[in-house]
Structures are given as structure tokens and as C-alpha cells.
């Protein structure tokens, strides 16, 4: 690549972290991540998202228990391989959907809004890049989106302040990196330029 600057370097160095230390991130780091989220673009500048940060370990463990239970009866709605593998993965007693990160940021948005997922995904990407710039690990988490209609999961998320009518878009696991992830190769044929 011909151009190199701080932003492009940050983008190229960002990895999905799946092994975190137990150390909690600093309050000012969390504040910076959440500020990065709300500066993302949104459709029509709606800014209708909500970012719920969970740092209480017992809360995260209980949420993981509810997720594991929900997956026992959950039926995938498409052929995405990770969804189908989930039935077996949750049987492992060490399964943890947020990879035991000390912070989980859940992005939700108002219902019946076509741009809900897009807006939240843009905001989460800001979080991931901000985390990378602070030498924090991050990982995009889909499981709460897949289980967004599970009654027990939704009831608990409501207890945590996420409106019941919100759609759960996705989440970000955040923490200090315990093990670096290797950079996967970029696939060919994913760029098309019309000049």
C-alpha cells in the first residue's frame, strides 16, 4: 500500500482478541471508547443507538449462563457456519461468549429502523479502532444479536437498562490483550474499481 498514516496503521494492526487478561480497563479508557462510538455516522444523523457497558464480573457471568441456556433450544435462522457450530460450542463448560473480557459494550437501537445494525456496526468499528490505538484488545460479538428475542436474555438485558423494545445489534468485548491474534490473509477478489 502506498499511503501510510496513523489511522491506516491502526486499521491494519487491529485484530480480534479472544484471550484477555483479568485486569479491568481504566475508567478514562472506557469513556474514550464510548465517546468514539457516539461520533460514528448514523443514518439521517439519528444517533438512536444506546451503548451499555458492563464491567461487573458477576453480571457478565450471569449473562453468559443465560446465553448458554438460550443456545440449547435456539434454532439458527440461516446457514452461517458459526451459528450451527454454536450448539456444540456451548456444551463445553469453558464456553464464554465474550471470551472473559473484563468489559462488554452492547450496542442496541430503536426498533423498526432500517439502519439500526449499520449504525451500531459503524460505532463498534470506532470502538475497535480506538481500542487498538490505546493498545487494548477487542472482539466483535454476535451472540446477543442472535439471541435478541430470547425471553430470559431480554429480561436480563432490560434489568441492565436496555429498553425491551430495542433491537440488540452487536457487542464489543474489550480488555488488555493476553494473547495476540495472528493477522489472517486478505482474500483476493474483494475489491472492484470502476474508473
Amino acid at each position: 500500500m502506498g499511503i501510510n498514516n496513523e489511522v491506516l496503521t491502526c486499521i491494519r494492526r487491529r485484530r480480534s482478541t479472544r484471550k484477555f487478561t483479568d485486569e479491568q480497563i481504566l475508567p478514562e479508557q472506557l469513556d474514550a471508547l464510548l465517546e468514539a462510538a457516539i461520533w460514528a455516522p448514523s443514518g439521517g444523523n439519528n444517533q438512536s443507538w444506546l451503548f451499555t457497558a458492563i464491567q461487573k464480573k458477576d453480571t457478565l457471568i450471569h449473562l453468559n449462563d443465560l446465553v448458554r441456556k438460550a443456545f440449547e433450544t435456539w434454532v439458527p435462522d440461516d446457514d452461517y457456519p458459526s451459528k450451527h457450530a454454536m450448539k456444540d460450542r456451548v456444551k463445553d463448560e469453558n464456553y464464554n461468549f465474550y471470551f472473559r473480557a473484563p468489559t462488554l459494550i452492547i450496542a442496541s437501537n430503536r426498533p423498526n429502523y432500517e439502519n439500526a445494525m449499520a449504525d451500531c456496526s459503524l460505532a463498534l468499528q470506532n470502538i475497535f479502532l480506538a481500542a487498538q490505538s490505546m493498545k487494548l484488545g477487542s472482539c466483535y460479538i454476535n451472540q446477543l444479536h442472535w439471541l435478541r428475542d430470547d425471553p430470559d436474555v431480554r429480561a436480563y438485558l432490560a434489568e441492565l437498562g436496555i429498553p425491551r423494545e430495542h433491537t440488540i445489534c452487536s457487542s464489543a468485548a474489550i480488555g488488555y490483550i493476553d494473547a495476540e491474534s495472528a493477522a489472517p490473509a486478505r482474500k483476493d477478489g474483494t475489491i472492484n474499481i470502476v474508473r
Side-chain angles (χ1 to χ4, degrees):
M1 297 288 170
I3 296 176
N4 202 10
N5 61 37
E6 188 176 351
V7 173
L8 293 172
T9 298
C10 187
I11 290 170
R12 292 180 191 122
R13 289 185 178 165
R14 188 215 58 80
R15 303 284 176 269
S16 294
T17 300
R18 292 181 176 87
K19 191 168 182 187
F20 297 89
T21 70
D22 292 332
E23 184 181 357
Q24 186 56 268
I25 66 172
L26 300 172
E28 55 266 32
Q29 290 174 316
L30 178 60
D31 291 345
L33 294 173
L34 295 171
E35 183 181 11
I38 64 172
W39 278 99
S42 62
N45 194 31
N46 272 292
Q47 301 180 45
S48 54
W49 45 43
L50 175 68
F51 302 100
T52 302
I54 305 172
Q55 295 188 307
K56 188 174 181 183
K57 191 172 185 178
D58 290 347
T59 300
L60 288 169
I61 289 170
H62 183 62
L63 183 57
N64 189 65
D65 291 342
L66 291 173
V67 164
R68 289 184 71 183
K69 183 180 176 205
F71 273 129
E72 290 175 9
T73 56
W74 176 74
V75 178
D77 56 0
D78 60 31
D79 60 358
Y80 181 44
S82 291
K83 286 183 176 181
H84 291 272
M86 198 55 61
K87 298 295 240 180
D88 290 326
R89 288 179 61 200
V90 297
K91 292 176 186 173
D92 182 344
E93 63 184 32
N94 293 316
Y95 172 79
N96 186 281
F97 81 92
Y98 56 91
F99 302 106
R100 292 182 176 76
T103 296
L104 181 70
I105 301 172
I106 301 169
S108 64
N109 212 323
R110 66 179 174 85
N112 303 315
Y113 172 49
E114 183 70 24
N115 286 348
M117 178 63 89
D119 290 359
C120 286
S121 295
L122 289 165
L124 287 170
Q125 180 68 351
N126 275 11
I127 288 173
F128 299 140
L129 293 176
Q132 174 65 32
S133 76
M134 292 185 277
K135 298 183 174 26
L136 296 174
S138 64
C139 191
Y140 190 90
I141 305 293
N142 280 314
Q143 284 83 340
L144 293 178
H145 173 67
W146 298 343
L147 298 172
R148 64 194 177 277
D149 296 322
D150 179 85
D152 293 335
V153 171
R154 285 318 301 258
Y156 192 57
L157 294 177
E159 286 180 35
L160 301 176
I162 299 174
R164 285 184 183 269
E165 68 274 11
H166 265 205
T167 185
I168 306 302
C169 293
S170 295
S171 310
I174 304 288
Y176 292 103
I177 301 167
D178 190 31
E180 294 274 354
S181 298
R186 301 293 92 187
K187 293 182 179 180
D188 290 331
T190 61
I191 295 173
N192 180 32
I193 300 174
V194 179
R195 289 191 170 120

